[in-house]
């Protein structure tokens, strides 16, 4: 079975690569530094991206640094993942289908002492790949319209360093230091009457952010947890060129002019979660997160940042009747997620809702596992100036767990 799982992992990765014929992202990545990325580790995508209260005993939990306090002694964990997304975009007049394969994350973690652990992870924070043609938009304080054509690429990356420490037997605390870096390219053309203005720019971003987390085990079956992502400023600088075309005459306004750009502000984010186990084989996780985007006092030409609420619920089940039987050790999962969104366009929220199912397939004779999940979701709605996204997503995470510094016993 071990060889079959490894073969299946390679086959799925090859299939996802072949699936990626047209790489594109959400049109909503036009805003800010792009659409925020959901790069969850282990089995978290299967349970609706919930799990703030889960320990890092079977996989690396990226939702709460306090979970690292429960890393098994002498174990070295490694997690890598990717996902394939098939999306249908719908507006009032047409629809379009796009396929997308994305790298999710790479991470490793190990215990420092019996009561503490450390992890390093690299993952995307946002994706700003988009292509929009002849989008009709109103001119402020006017009855007239203009047309926008835009294309962009890039995004920000997270490079996380996390540490968790257990106080006594029930309480753990943790902290993460995140280095944010990356760049975006943005080419836009504005058609107003008979005049076209073209703006091409590349923006570089860099910044630091801190996350604090706690977990409290009320008893062996019930855990409550919280996280605090502190607000921060991501510095930006740009190089920009501007041209105008009027009556077939091209005029250069700027050519590769370097200047400071508007900094990007990340909000205070507060999360709480619970994990409850029933009869040793059924586990429930539930999370709530609040992101205070409105307090960042930033806005976009086509929309506003608003406070965001996210609700997540997940269940996992494994029979565990006979640990010698492979399928009794397989974990089954299901979840749901609702996100009010942090953007408001023309007075309408760009929210997101999804459901998910998944499997955790153990690799025999190891502590490792292959996590496969499928999600279906909807983002936005069909209305004036808004686009609805219907997406199918397959996530594949390989969680490898090795044992260090343990002497073999000869029987």
């Amino acid at each position: 079975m071990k060889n079959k799982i490894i073969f299946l992992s390679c086959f799925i990765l090859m299939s996802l690569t072949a699936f990626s014929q047209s790489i594109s992202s959400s049109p909503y990545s036009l805003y800010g530094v792009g659409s925020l990325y959901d790069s969850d580790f282990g089995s978290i995508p299967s349970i609706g991206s919930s799990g703030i209260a889960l320990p890092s005993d079977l996989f690396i939990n990226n939702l709460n640094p306090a979970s690292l306090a429960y890393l098994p002694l002498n174990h070295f964990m490694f997690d890598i993942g990717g996902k394939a997304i098939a999306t249908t975009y719908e507006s009032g007049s047409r629809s379009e289908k796009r396929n997308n394969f994305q790298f999710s994350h790479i991470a490793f973690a190990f215990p420092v002492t019996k009561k503490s652990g450390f992890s390093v992870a690299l993952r995307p924070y946002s994706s700003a790949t988009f292509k929009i043609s002849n989008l009709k938009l109103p001119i402020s304080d006017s009855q007239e319209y203009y047309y926008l054509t835009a294309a962009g690429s890039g995004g920000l990356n997270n490079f996380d360093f996390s540490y968790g420490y257990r106080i006594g037997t029930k309480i753990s605390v943790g902290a993460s230091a995140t280095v944010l870096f990356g760049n975006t390219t943005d080419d836009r053309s504005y058609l107003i009457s008979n005049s076209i203005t073209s703006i091409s720019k590349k923006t570089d971003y860099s910044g630091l952010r801190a996350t604090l987390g706690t977990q409290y085990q009320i008893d062996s079956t019930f855990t409550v947890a919280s996280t605090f992502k502190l607000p921060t400023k991501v510095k930006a600088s740009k190089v920009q060129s501007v041209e105008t075309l009027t009556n077939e005459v091209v005029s250069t306004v700027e050519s590769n002019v370097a200047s400071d750009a508007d900094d990007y502000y990340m909000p205070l984010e507060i999360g709480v979660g619970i994990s409850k186990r029933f009869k040793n084989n059924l586990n429930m996780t539930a999370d709530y997160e609040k992101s205070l985007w409105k307090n960042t006092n930033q806005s976009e030409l086509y929309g506003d940042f608003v406070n965001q609420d996210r609700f997540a619920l997940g269940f996992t089940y494994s029979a565990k009747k006979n640990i010698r039987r492979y399928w009794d050790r397989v974990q089954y999962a299901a979840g749901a997620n609702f996100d009010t969104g942090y953007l408001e366009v023309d007075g309408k929220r760009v929210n997101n809702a999804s459901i998910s199912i998944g499997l955790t397939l153990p690799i025999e004779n190891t502590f490792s596992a292959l996590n496969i999940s499928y999600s279906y979701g909807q983002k936005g709605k069909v209305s004036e100036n808004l686009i609805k996204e219907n997406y199918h997503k397959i996530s594949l995470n390989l969680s490898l767990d090795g044992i260090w510094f343990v002497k073999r016993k000869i029987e």
Side-chain angles (χ1 to χ4, degrees):
M1 181 61 71
K2 176 181 177 181
N3 292 334
K4 290 181 180 179
I5 295 297
I6 295 174
F7 173 78
L8 177 62
S9 304
C10 295
F11 174 77
I12 293 177
L13 285 172
M14 291 173 63
S15 299
L16 296 184
T17 303
F19 179 80
S20 177
Q21 298 298 321
S22 173
I23 297 178
S24 185
S25 185
S26 168
Y28 295 112
S29 65
L30 174 75
Y31 298 87
V33 294
S35 297
L36 302 190
Y37 209 87
D38 55 339
S39 52
D40 295 322
F41 300 0
S43 60
I44 291 177
S46 302
I47 52 177
S49 295
S50 61
I52 291 177
L54 291 176
S56 289
D57 54 349
L58 299 177
F59 64 91
I60 305 171
N61 181 2
N62 63 294
L63 300 181
N64 191 342
S67 68
L68 296 170
Y70 296 96
L71 285 170
L73 195 62
N74 297 324
H75 285 240
F76 180 89
M77 292 187 176
F78 178 81
D79 208 296
I80 187 169
K83 53 188 176 181
I85 307 175
T87 308
T88 300
Y89 301 92
E90 298 180 41
S91 64
S93 58
R94 62 178 182 175
S95 65
E96 181 179 345
K97 294 183 178 181
R98 298 177 185 173
N99 300 328
N100 183 9
F101 174 66
Q102 301 173 341
F103 164 77
S104 175
H105 64 274
I106 184 170
F108 66 85
F110 55 87
V112 178
T113 66
K114 291 181 179 180
K115 295 185 177 182
S116 65
F118 177 80
S119 74
V120 176
L122 176 64
R123 55 195 175 96
Y125 171 76
S126 67
S127 174
T129 304
F130 57 88
K131 186 175 182 180
I132 298 173
S133 299
N134 296 321
L135 179 63
K136 186 179 180 180
L137 295 169
I139 298 176
S140 299
D141 301 323
S142 172
Q143 299 297 320
E144 297 183 1
Y145 291 83
Y146 68 95
Y147 293 87
L148 169 68
T149 296
S153 62
L156 266 64
N157 299 294
N158 270 350
F159 194 27
D160 298 328
F161 300 87
S162 302
Y163 178 78
Y165 180 79
R166 192 163 73 250
I167 303 172
T169 58
K170 292 189 174 184
I171 301 176
S172 65
V173 295
S176 295
T178 300
V179 180
L180 293 151
F181 64 95
N183 60 70
T184 61
T185 60
D186 193 332
D187 299 311
R188 304 189 187 189
S189 295
Y190 302 88
L191 172 60
I192 304 175
S193 298
N194 295 320
S195 177
I196 299 176
T197 300
S198 299
I199 302 176
S200 178
K201 65 180 178 179
K202 179 181 179 182
T203 308
D204 293 300
Y205 297 92
S206 62
L208 297 172
R209 194 185 198 189
T211 299
L212 305 176
T214 63
Q215 288 186 341
Y216 175 66
Q217 290 188 346
I218 295 177
D219 57 41
S220 60
T221 66
F222 189 35
T223 301
V224 296
S226 63
T227 57
F228 301 87
K229 296 181 181 180
L230 303 184
T232 190
K233 178 175 71 173
V234 181
K235 295 182 179 179
S237 61
K238 67 180 180 181
V239 176
Q240 179 173 285
S241 298
V242 180
E243 291 183 345
T244 62
L245 174 61
T246 306
N247 297 326
E248 298 184 355
V249 177
V250 178
S251 300
T252 300
V253 180
E254 294 180 349
S255 180
N256 294 322
V257 176
S259 63
D260 292 332
D262 291 337
D263 295 326
Y264 181 71
Y265 292 88
M266 300 174 66
L268 172 66
E269 299 182 63
I270 302 171
V272 293
I274 63 171
S275 174
K276 174 62 177 178
R277 190 173 72 249
F278 304 91
K279 296 183 179 180
N280 295 323
N281 54 8
L282 177 65
N283 195 83
M284 181 193 74
T285 51
D287 293 353
Y288 168 73
E289 290 182 283
K290 181 81 171 183
S291 301
L292 302 179
W293 285 96
K294 190 173 183 179
N295 291 351
T296 64
N297 296 319
Q298 57 189 339
S299 63
E300 283 285 329
L301 179 62
Y302 317 109
D304 299 302
F305 287 86
V306 292
N307 291 340
Q308 178 184 26
D309 298 287
R310 189 181 74 88
F311 305 87
L313 178 67
F315 296 89
T316 59
Y317 173 82
S318 58
K320 295 183 179 179
K321 293 179 180 179
N322 185 353
I323 61 173
R324 294 183 179 181
R325 295 176 56 186
Y326 181 81
W327 291 104
D328 279 356
R329 290 183 284 119
V330 171
Q331 178 176 277
Y332 305 87
N337 187 295
F338 178 75
D339 182 348
T340 63
Y342 61 96
L343 285 174
E344 189 172 80
V345 181
D346 197 22
K348 301 178 182 67
R349 284 290 189 102
V350 183
N351 55 29
N352 179 67
S354 65
I355 56 175
S356 57
I357 57 174
L359 294 173
T360 296
L361 303 174
I363 300 175
E364 286 189 313
N365 301 321
T366 71
F367 294 97
S368 305
L370 174 66
N371 299 281
I372 304 174
S373 70
Y374 163 78
S375 303
Y376 171 73
Q378 295 182 349
K379 183 177 181 180
K381 62 183 69 175
V382 178
S383 64
E384 187 176 1
N385 301 328
L386 281 185
I387 296 173
K388 182 179 180 180
E389 301 179 16
N390 294 285
Y391 59 87
H392 302 267
K393 179 170 64 178
I394 296 176
S395 299
L396 176 65
N397 292 341
L398 186 60
S399 300
L400 302 176
D401 186 351
I403 298 179
W404 286 8
F405 311 121
V406 176
K407 294 183 179 180
R408 285 182 175 271
K409 294 183 179 181
I410 302 177
E411 296 182 358

